[in-house]
Amino acid sequence: MLVGKIDRVGRIRTLHGDMGVWHKYTFGLAGERFFRALAEKGVLLATRCETCRKTYLPPKIYCPTCFAELTVWVELPPRGYVETYTFLYEDLEENRLTEPVAVAFVTFPGVEGGIIHRLGEVRPEEVCSGLEVEAVLAAERSGGLQDILYFRPSRE
Amino acid sequence: MMKPQNARGVPLKDEDLKVGKVLTTEWRVKADYAWDCGIAIGRYFDGLKEGKILATRCRRCRRTVVPPRIFCEWCFKPMDEWVEVRDTGRVNTFSVSYFSWDMTPLEKPEVPAVVEIDGCSPGVGFMHLLGEVGDNLDEILRRVKVGMKVRAVWKPADQRTGAITDILYFKPEEE
Amino acid sequence: MERVAVLGAGMTRFMRRAQETGKELAWEAARMALDEAGLTLKDVECVALVSAPDAFDGVHMKGEYLADGAGATRKPFMRSFVGGGSGVFAIIHGWYHVASGHFDTCLVVAEEKMSSTMPHPQAAFNTIYDQFTERPLGVNLLWIFALEMNRYMQVHKIPLETIAQVSVKNKLNGLDHPCHQEGITPGPDLTVKDVLDSEIMVWPVHRLMVSPVTDGAAALVLASERVAKRMTDKPVWIEGVGWHLDSSYWTNRDLYYPKYVEYAARMAYRMAGITDPRKEIHVVEPYDPFAYKELHHLEGLLLADKGEAPRLLEKGVFNRDGELPSCPSGGLLGVGNPIAAAGTMKVAEIFWQLRGEAGARQVARPVKRGLAQAWGDLMQVGTVVVLGR
């Protein structure tokens, strides 16, 4: 539906409508390699700029600092750390969730950036900055962020 | 030497996406809108519901315009004089569309036109559709001419909602 | 006011669907422009970016999203947007940054990725129309072009064959552009008949009179005279800029003539000290998203009398070897139309023409001054830049 019914509230007319578009994205040159590696090998990749001595997650094909093309790919260690976190009590439409959902920004030592994802298999009181976590991967992976189900406290 | 040299870019074909040569992800924006029609268009729609086309007139430059507005964009003065104009006019320009709003091919072409409305200042009109002008291009081009006189065909009064679609289309009018 | 030079230009290939993200496309074009200018990102003091509606990408804050690919991380950054006029507005916007004396260098980046929009980018274009009085009619973007084209043809009695000639000229020119979109020109033997035989989309617009949906990016490096003199012995100067906006009540004015383009052109000519544009402009890249638009805009630019552009076209004046070569790049019809990036591609073409670097596209006559123009929105926006050497 593009434009629909007109409501009359008192003296005010309101016209309802929506944008009528949806989007199909490719992941880009860097994203394609990142999500393929995640789907096929279950690993997280980053790109490295030797000049700036920086490693980027998510990986980029260019260094945003010096603009060089990045061709060095590195595999990240399986464990990262919670940099910061929050608890969600409502979904996108403001419905109350039965259980709060923990969401964390997971970073890796020496790496610029990180991944925002859910935390699972964790009690709310356990969640803290610096918590060591590992990704729990979907058994069937198709290439996309959904291939990581969530991060959980790492098990030695 | 010819510039640009060694330009980059990795072109894909639709097929590449279908067969999964590259990964894709989809997203649908969940945003619905409720637009307040505002003062001028609100009153314009009230008029359409009653089968009338209302225009506003600028007391300064004397322009009479549709769609109506509460300010004159030339003089930047309020436009607060309302007048009923006629539901007839002349075709300023027209086209014949074979595609819907989202590029779905149409079986029967539509005939959008800008109609200069009688009673408005010269050259002032709005966009609408022409009807009763034929089902195919040849017929339409034979019957529709720039400058020809047209008249609004209204929805039955009890079906009007106060919308631009209360006018179904404009049809040719005998001179 | 500081004098401003263009030091380098870059672009990606133009593609119906690029694998790259918008950021990656922006980087590819920006990197080429910097390399050509002999500068690095460290030398860039500020970034000016253009990209068309956020609805194409479904990404809100598209400017900020694209910023790191445009080299704007931790730099003064500004995005501007005037629809299809954005591509030439980009250089005006960048010119301001340097002409003000506030910055010595500015990286100008234009990016567009239209292919993400489903079911078709037209569905996003639909929202440029008034939601109360126009959208309920089921309008698509082609309507307004078809209506304007018919008006222009009716007022001046222009035959459809002449409009089709624009497509042939530009599509054949585009074959010499290394970045042209695959399939944009059916073949080197393209004729007026082929154009007229192509599918009618919204009469009088036929398929081969419309530029395609395109992904791509283009970029320019601007610098003050101080920097330019150090970096190059063939600087290209921004001699004039102009822009103008008409009312969105487009059904209240006569579409046969783009007054807003004339006002923008007059502004740019005044600044450049041009009194007789037909003699003083040597090569021109008017905006040609639709075939008739090139002629329409040439008249608005005062490079032809009202209604005269079709006759000059027939005489070959606008050919590459003509007196006033127009769209020697191939334009949007022959290279592609990534909305905001298309206008910047035109500025890049004038830059390469003035430096004698356009190779197979180089026009026959000597060129010292050229003009690029873009148009946008509901037949509303004119943006013009005059470059000279």
Side-chain angles (χ1 to χ4, degrees), chain B residues 49-83:
Chain B
K49 196 160 189 289
E50 292 166 25
K52 294 176 187 167
I53 299 176
L54 299 180
T56 49
R57 183 177 290 159
C58 177
R59 294 175 196 275
R60 184 145 179 238
C61 69
R62 304 311 297 166
R63 267 194 323 152
T64 303
V65 295
V66 281
R69 59 214 73 158
I70 60 164
F71 55 89
C72 173
E73 73 276 14
W74 290 1
C75 306
F76 225 50
K77 296 275 183 202
M79 257 195 187
D80 49 6
E81 194 183 331
W82 285 80
V83 290

Side-chain angles (χ1 to χ4, degrees), chain C residues 348-365:
Chain C
E349 180 70 10
I350 296 296
F351 170 75
W352 287 318
Q353 290 283 349
L354 290 174
R355 303 231 301 189
E357 295 174 343
R361 305 188 312 284
Q362 190 68 41
V363 301
R365 65 168 296 176

Side-chain angles (χ1 to χ4, degrees), chain A residues 89-98:
Chain A
Y89 289 88
E90 289 180 349
D91 69 11
L92 286 175
E93 273 105 38
E94 300 186 343
N95 302 307
R96 200 77 187 166
L97 297 170
T98 44

Side-chain angles (χ1 to χ4, degrees), chain C residues 135-181:
Chain C
R135 270 189 241 171
L137 301 172
V139 62
N140 66 47
L141 189 71
L142 295 171
W143 282 24
I144 195 170
F145 287 97
L147 291 167
E148 183 179 75
M149 174 172 167
N150 193 22
R151 182 73 188 162
Y152 177 55
M153 287 168 62
Q154 295 278 346
V155 168
H156 296 305
K157 309 271 174 275
I158 303 165
L160 199 57
E161 288 72 19
T162 309
I163 306 280
Q165 262 184 49
V166 175
S167 299
V168 174
K169 170 176 75 73
N170 292 4
K171 286 182 179 293
L172 294 181
N173 282 351
L175 289 174
D176 293 324
H177 200 300
C179 295
H180 75 253
Q181 188 164 332

Side-chain angles (χ1 to χ4, degrees), chain A residues 2-3 15 18-32 54 60-69, chain C residues 18-19 21 23-24 27 30-31 34 41 55-58 68-69 71 73 113 116-118 123-124 126-127 131-132 136:
Chain A
L2 265 185
V3 277
L15 181 68
D18 63 26
M19 284 280 263
V21 292
W22 55 282
H23 297 90
K24 191 180 189 98
Y25 301 109
T26 52
F27 289 93
L29 302 182
E32 179 77 13
K54 285 182 177 174
K60 308 173 200 301
I61 58 165
Y62 55 87
C63 173
T65 311
C66 74
F67 239 34
E69 180 167 10
Chain C
Q19 185 175 355
T21 59
K23 293 181 195 213
E24 289 172 344
W27 171 76
R31 183 60 208 259
L34 281 172
L41 192 58
F56 281 152
D57 301 71
D68 70 356
T73 308
K113 192 167 163 92
S116 308
T117 326
M118 297 288 168
N126 173 278
T127 63
Q131 66 270 45
F132 304 113

